[in-house]
Amino acid sequence: MGGDKLNLSEGEMKSIITAYRKANPAIVAFWRALEKAFKDAILTKREVKVNRYISIRYLGDWVAIKLPSGRDLMYYKAHLSNGSIRYLGDTIKGFQRIDTYGGKICENVVQAVSADILNNAIQIVDKKATNFDITFHVHDELVGEVDENKAQDTLIMLSKAMCELPDWADDLLPLKAEGEILDYYKK
């Protein structure tokens, strides 16, 4: 997590990690459940439920994580090596074997679900905002162009659209969105 760049000692970093895990037991349990289900899917070659929203299944050359949206997050040539999960993935050095674990799988799932929610917002905005041209999106942001005289009304509509949840996320906590009207993009 960058502790070495902050000149933290191994002991300090371990203390931070331990404190985080102690303060967030549900997150740690989710990491472990994902890792166990992933391994079980490989070993049994069957679908394994993580919870009521997510399941993992072995599909020969692929292991698929079924996301709440119904979309699959795919891992190519996933297998176990000395008890660790490995798969073939694209890196800056080309396709290579990558080791993974519950925490990293959790990060992949969270990012994929977030992308699905953003995609939902993009579709809503495309339908509702005929005067707003989406130029690009970054993580959880939509960026676009609109006539200056329609900017304020469009911003209000965008903020509402960004908070509309898809049917599959009906029990997700309500989202909040905010935006700015600018002459240029800034992070």
Side-chain angles (χ1 to χ4, degrees):
M1 292 174 37
D4 53 336
K5 293 180 181 130
L6 298 172
N7 295 321
L8 298 175
S9 70
E10 285 291 322
E12 289 169 318
M13 287 188 278
K14 189 168 180 81
S15 176
I16 291 168
I17 290 168
T18 301
Y20 176 85
R21 290 178 178 173
K22 185 176 179 183
N24 298 284
I27 293 172
V28 175
F30 186 51
W31 295 343
R32 291 187 177 130
L34 283 167
E35 184 169 331
K36 181 178 183 330
F38 202 109
K39 288 178 177 180
D40 288 349
I42 291 171
L43 291 170
T44 65
K45 302 191 176 1
R46 294 182 163 190
E47 183 172 9
V48 179
K49 286 212 165 276
V50 176
N51 56 36
R52 70 181 205 174
Y53 305 102
I54 298 169
S55 63
I56 302 176
R57 62 195 190 289
Y58 181 84
L59 302 171
D61 281 346
W62 297 89
V63 170
I65 299 177
K66 179 69 76 181
L67 300 170
S69 66
R71 184 169 69 93
D72 285 326
L73 187 57
M74 306 294 288
Y75 294 80
Y76 185 57
K77 300 271 185 186
H79 65 281
L80 298 180
S81 176
N82 296 324
S84 295
I85 301 169
R86 300 188 93 193
Y87 66 98
L88 190 60
D90 195 9
T91 71
I92 58 172
K93 297 178 183 177
F95 276 90
Q96 294 187 331
R97 292 276 170 213
I98 298 172
D99 291 328
T100 195
Y101 56 97
K104 190 67 172 173
I105 295 166
C106 178
E107 178 185 355
N108 295 162
V109 166
V110 168
Q111 292 296 329
V113 169
S114 298
D116 290 343
I117 290 171
L118 181 62
N119 185 50
N120 180 71
I122 289 170
Q123 291 176 37
I124 292 169
V125 169
D126 274 346
K127 288 178 188 167
K128 291 185 175 182
T130 54
N131 63 330
F132 182 77
D133 295 320
I134 297 172
T135 312
F136 63 94
H137 55 86
V138 180
H139 299 291
D140 60 350
E141 295 180 31
L142 290 183
V143 179
E145 296 180 355
V146 66
D147 291 334
E148 200 171 329
N149 60 340
K150 297 178 182 175
Q152 190 60 43
D153 288 341
T154 302
L155 177 60
I156 292 167
M157 185 279 305
L158 285 171
S159 294
K160 289 179 183 175
M162 291 289 288
C163 296
E164 284 187 43
L165 292 171
D167 292 340
W168 55 264
D170 62 351
D171 60 349
L172 191 67
L173 293 175
L175 301 177
K176 292 183 180 181
E178 53 188 45
E180 293 181 81
I181 300 168
L182 304 166
D183 292 328
Y184 56 89
Y185 174 74
K186 75 172 192 174
K187 187 68 182 154

